[in-house]
């Protein structure tokens, strides 16, 4: 896996993102270890596991399954008759990103 994070401040332990993340890519969770060590005569060290989960944002536009929809209707069709169904999808996760209005 490509390194996406680094320790940006060895004293405070702050981590920094050093690469782009995208929820729609194949990697939505990163797990790695961070090690701390001291400067004793016999140096001691410890490790901790870190998990970073990427959450989705609304960064993709919906796309329709067809470029054009066309339908013929009779002039005497009853009001409120269903005349056509359209379909669109969105790469963003969640039901709020998959609604037609």
């Amino acid at each position: 896996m490509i390194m996406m994070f680094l320790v940006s401040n060895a004293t405070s332990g702050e981590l920094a993102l050093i690469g782009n993340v995208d929820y729609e890519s194949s990697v939505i969770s990163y797990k790695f270890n961070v090690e701390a060590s001291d400067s004793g005569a016999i140096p001691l060290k410890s490790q901790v596991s870190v998990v970073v989960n990427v959450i989705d944002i609304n960064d993709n536009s919906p796309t329709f399954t067809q470029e054009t929809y066309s339908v013929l209707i009779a002039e005497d069709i009853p009001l409120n008759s269903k005349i056509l169904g359209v379909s669109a999808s969105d790469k963003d996760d969640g039901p709020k990103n998959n609604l037609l209005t």
Side-chain angles (χ1 to χ4, degrees), residues 3-8 14-21 30 52 54:
M3 266 318 280
M4 299 297 289
F5 307 92
L6 63 75
V7 176
S8 62
E14 292 175 353
L15 301 177
L17 177 68
I18 59 171
N20 294 325
V21 295
Y30 297 86
V52 177
V54 179

Side-chain angles (χ1 to χ4, degrees), residues 4 11 24 42-43 62:
M4 299 297 289
T11 303
E24 287 80 27
I42 301 173

Side-chain angles (χ1 to χ4, degrees), residues 31-68:
K31 183 176 181 178
F32 53 93
N33 293 326
V34 175
E35 184 175 284
S37 60
D38 62 23
S39 300
I42 301 173
L44 300 174
K45 62 183 176 181
S46 182
Q47 286 190 347
V48 67
S49 179
V50 176
V51 177
V52 177
N53 294 308
V54 179
I55 59 172
D56 196 19
I57 62 169
N58 188 20
D59 59 343
N60 291 290
S61 298
T63 56
F64 285 93
T65 55
Q66 295 177 209
E67 281 191 32
T68 303

Side-chain angles (χ1 to χ4, degrees), residues 64 86 98-101:
F64 285 93
V86 298
N98 294 307
L99 301 174
L100 292 173
T101 57

